[in-house]
Amino acid sequence: MKILIINGPNLNMLGIREPDIYGKGTYKDLCDLVGSYALNKGIEVCIYQSNHEGDLVDKIQSAYGEFEGIVINPAAYTHTSVALLDALKAVALPAVEVHISDVSAREDFRKISYVRSACVKTVSGKGFAGYLEAIDYLLNNYGEKE
Ligand code: DQA
């Protein structure tokens, strides 16, 4: 199975940014964790990060015909972006929404997710492990059956 992992704005600042909320692990730590997990599971992952909404739209569109699933942490664009919602609906791939922090327990504006209705599952508040849970979900529900 080929899975595209997409990370939105400021996630490149992990480790530096609000460590009390997002932990001390860096973005490289996250990439290494996801990369080695995928290797272990025998799946192919591509990990992408951008601070720009249009670039994230382009990346989602590029998954069409190339990937079998998407794991997306849209970061702040979760709470604002109809464009990301429409892109996910356009490619119609199974997508899992991930948040490192528990967005349901933070400010009210973080309780709103524009992308959620285009996602098959949301994992929130489980730190970096949430990405692994999302990969497992896609693999178990949409991976090739032996
Ligand atoms: C986040 C939560 C968002 O509200 C925030 O804007 C982020 C990260 C998370 O992973 O917990 O940048 O998506």
Side-chain angles (χ1 to χ4, degrees):
M1 186 177 202
K2 269 181 87 176
I3 299 175
L4 178 61
I5 319 270
I6 299 179
N7 285 299
N10 301 306
L11 290 170
N12 56 314
M13 296 291 283
L14 286 171
I16 299 162
R17 127 183 233 217
E18 300 178 275
D20 45 321
I21 295 174
Y22 300 110
K24 288 190 183 135
T26 64
Y27 184 66
K28 185 181 179 299
D29 293 336
L30 174 63
C31 294
D32 289 348
L33 176 75
V34 168
S36 59
Y37 193 73
L39 202 66
N40 241 301
K41 293 262 168 179
I43 56 171
E44 222 180 294
V45 291
C46 169
I47 308 174
Y48 177 80
Q49 191 275 332
S50 175
N51 294 323
H52 307 279
E53 188 174 16
D55 289 345
L56 294 166
V57 169
D58 287 345
K59 199 66 190 177
I60 293 168
Q61 289 183 6
S62 77
Y64 183 75
E66 286 294 321
F67 290 87
E68 282 105 41
I70 295 175
V71 171
I72 183 162
N73 182 348
Y77 291 134
T78 307
H79 319 299
T80 62
S81 181
V82 176
L84 291 186
L85 167 67
D86 285 348
L88 288 169
K89 283 167 106 173
V91 297
L93 290 165
V96 179
E97 174 189 7
V98 172
H99 299 287
I100 295 164
S101 66
D102 180 4
V103 283
S104 69
R106 297 180 63 193
E107 302 96 321
D108 281 349
F109 67 85
R110 292 187 206 273
K111 295 181 179 130
I112 296 159
S113 169
Y114 280 79
V115 300
R116 194 155 301 162
S117 65
C119 294
V120 292
K121 184 180 170 66
T122 299
V123 183
S124 181
K126 298 193 173 168
F128 288 3
Y131 288 81
L132 310 185
E133 188 177 323
I135 290 170
D136 278 342
Y137 186 83
L138 290 175
L139 201 52
N140 293 338
N141 291 282
Y142 302 93
E144 290 128 44
K145 306 266 181 296
E146 274 152 52

